[in-house]
Amino acid sequence: MCCSLPGHSDRSIPCKPSSDSRVSAMSSSSRSQPGARQFPGNCTLERALQAVVDVFHQYSARQGELDLLSIGDFRTLLTEQAPNFLGTCDRNRAGYLDKLFQETDLNKDKELSFEEFTIVLSKLADDAHRISHGSERCGPDRD
């Protein structure tokens, strides 16, 4: 970890904002356009957020100016990128992904915007947090 404090491997030194708001971080997103503004920064959280955006873009269907996930895109993204999440708590049962998609499709347009997808990310993050503490991953309100 590049920003670790001695003796505190789980804490990072706060990153400083870029002095030039036009500075672009390198992005692995294949949808980046030349001159497009990229999420700046090289801090752990900023890199993680950029990775989440890049993964979303990798699987989302481009329609006009909107990035949207169809149910098929959603299934593929989670089965390829979150197999451990799906492999526990009976999340691999028939219909689980359809139910999760319907619950997070807030405007019921049968596609997930990035904002709607963040609801799923919160479930993934909660699962990862439970794993980090060795906590029970399954139970009420834990799907």
Side-chain angles (χ1 to χ4, degrees):
M1 190 183 265
C2 68
C3 301
S4 294
L5 292 170
H8 295 89
S9 61
D10 60 340
R11 299 217 174 157
S12 297
I13 297 171
C15 291
K16 296 178 183 174
S18 172
S19 60
D20 183 354
S21 63
R22 297 171 294 153
V23 173
S24 297
M26 294 301 290
S27 171
S28 60
S29 174
S30 61
R31 306 220 180 202
S32 297
Q33 297 176 356
R37 295 187 76 178
Q38 299 292 319
F39 191 75
N42 196 28
C43 298
T44 303
L45 181 58
E46 291 175 328
R47 287 191 319 264
L49 291 170
Q50 183 63 55
V52 167
V53 170
D54 288 347
V55 168
F56 180 84
H57 284 159
Q58 181 182 348
Y59 290 87
S60 64
R62 194 79 163 156
Q63 297 180 1
E65 294 297 314
L66 302 175
D67 292 315
L68 302 168
L69 289 174
S70 69
I71 183 67
D73 298 330
F74 177 73
R75 279 190 200 113
T76 303
L77 186 157
L78 288 181
T79 56
E80 291 181 0
Q81 297 293 327
N84 293 315
F85 172 78
L86 293 177
T88 60
C89 307
D90 199 30
R91 293 182 188 121
N92 57 0
R93 70 184 177 272
Y96 174 78
L97 288 177
D98 291 334
K99 181 180 181 247
L100 183 58
F101 184 90
Q102 290 170 1
E103 288 173 357
T104 56
D105 183 15
L106 301 177
N107 63 0
K108 305 303 179 201
D109 65 352
K110 299 184 181 182
E111 297 175 307
L112 296 185
S113 66
F114 184 78
E115 184 176 359
E116 291 168 322
F117 181 67
T118 62
I119 296 166
V120 176
L121 289 176
S122 70
K123 291 179 182 287
L124 292 168
D126 182 62
D127 194 53
H129 186 245
R130 289 177 190 283
I131 292 168
S132 76
H133 288 288
S135 299
E136 173 61 36
R137 295 171 66 189
C138 306
D141 300 323
R142 295 184 185 170
D143 68 346

